Structure formats: C-alpha cells, structure tokens
Amino acid sequence: MAINKNTTTLILAGGLGTRISPLFPHIPKPLIQFGEKTFLELQIENFRKYGLNKFALLIGPNSSPFEKIFKNSKDVSLISENERTGTGGAIANAVKVLGLQNPFLVANGDTWWHGNLNEFLNTDYPIEKLPCALATRSKNEKRYGSLKPIHTSHLYQFADGDECSHSFAGLAWLKPDLIKHLRIVTGK
C-alpha cells in the first residue's frame, strides 16, 4: 500500500511517559519542546515531506495540552479516550471514530526515524500482505517488541529469546479489518 491523498496516519500519543516524567512531570512526552516546536509538530512536519497530510493523534483522557497546540490545524484531529485501553484499543477506537475503510499508518508519537522513509511509505504493498511494520536491528531489546526472522530475511514474528535480532521501529501499515478482531480491555 503506497501513500495516497486519503492515507490517514494515526499517531500514538497517549502513553504515560513514565521514564521521562521525572524531568517533565506535567508535559506529555510527544509535546516536549525542541527549540520552537514540540516533538510531535516536528514529526508531523517530517511526515508531510513524504506526502502524508491527514493525521489523527490518539491521546489519553487529558486532551487539553494537545488541543492548545493543534486546535486550529485542518489536517490533525484528536481522538481521546475516557479510559485507557492500550495501544490496540486506541487504534480500534480511532478506526471506528474515523470510519477508516482503507489501509492506514500507525506511528509511535515518541519515535524519530533517521534516514529516508520513502521506500517504506511508498512501496505498493499488496493489501493482502498487510500488516507491514518497520523493524530495526537490535541486541535482543525485549522492551520494544523483539522480532526474530522466519523463513526469509524480510519476514519476522514477535518473540522472546536469544534468536531475536530486530525490534519494532514504531511505524506500521495496517488495515481496518485486522482491527475489528481486537478485544478491548480497559484500565491499562
């Protein structure tokens, strides 16, 4: 699936930011300032360079800091949850709220990708091959979703153990019909 004018990018921005909260106790991690702009503003600007122009920020119950920054944006919508439902629940909620029918991108709101994302974003993946996620080499970093190769050098599965050589890099193509099978659990 390659980018087109209707591609929606869901940006996961509702996490608790527990590791960085001692330094920024009242600021959501994606809204930390880098010079004149927040990390999230810089991330969206970077995505626009690749032709993406439709964004939904998946945020937790406290939407006011995001509203202050994005209230006048025509291409950024905010989708907040009353109860935390985790990553899958936030994505399922967004698919429902936005009525998504076509493949969409999901991006971690606290991740910066070095290099050129053009190949990942603009390769015409057959829709039946989705989901498709960006992976990065790692040294068995379990915290970020460890992946181990299966069958080919381009196919991985989530796993634990010493055979893991890659981690999920925070960017994926998904399709709405995969999401409808999720069971949402609140309170995470």
Side-chain angles (χ1 to χ4, degrees), residues 76-95:
V76 178
S77 58
L78 303 177
I79 301 177
S80 62
E81 298 180 301
N82 293 329
E83 288 186 79
R84 294 189 177 279
T85 58
T87 301
I91 294 169
N93 181 49
V95 167

Side-chain angles (χ1 to χ4, degrees), residues 138-146 159-162 164 167:
S138 67
K139 293 187 178 185
N140 198 16
E141 181 60 69
K142 290 181 171 80
R143 201 185 163 290
Y144 298 106
S146 297
D160 288 325
D162 294 334
C164 298
S167 294

Side-chain angles (χ1 to χ4, degrees), residues 2-3 22-23 36 46 75 77 82 86 94 108 115 122 140 167:
I3 293 172
L23 298 173
E36 301 289 318
N46 191 45
D75 61 354
S77 58
N82 293 329
N108 288 352
N122 286 302
N140 198 16
S167 294

Side-chain angles (χ1 to χ4, degrees), residues 77-116:
S77 58
L78 303 177
I79 301 177
S80 62
E81 298 180 301
N82 293 329
E83 288 186 79
R84 294 189 177 279
T85 58
T87 301
I91 294 169
N93 181 49
V95 167
K96 182 179 176 183
V97 168
L98 297 170
L100 295 180
Q101 301 294 318
N102 297 313
F104 56 92
L105 280 166
V106 175
N108 288 352
D110 61 356
T111 303
W112 188 263
W113 298 273
H114 295 283
N116 189 340

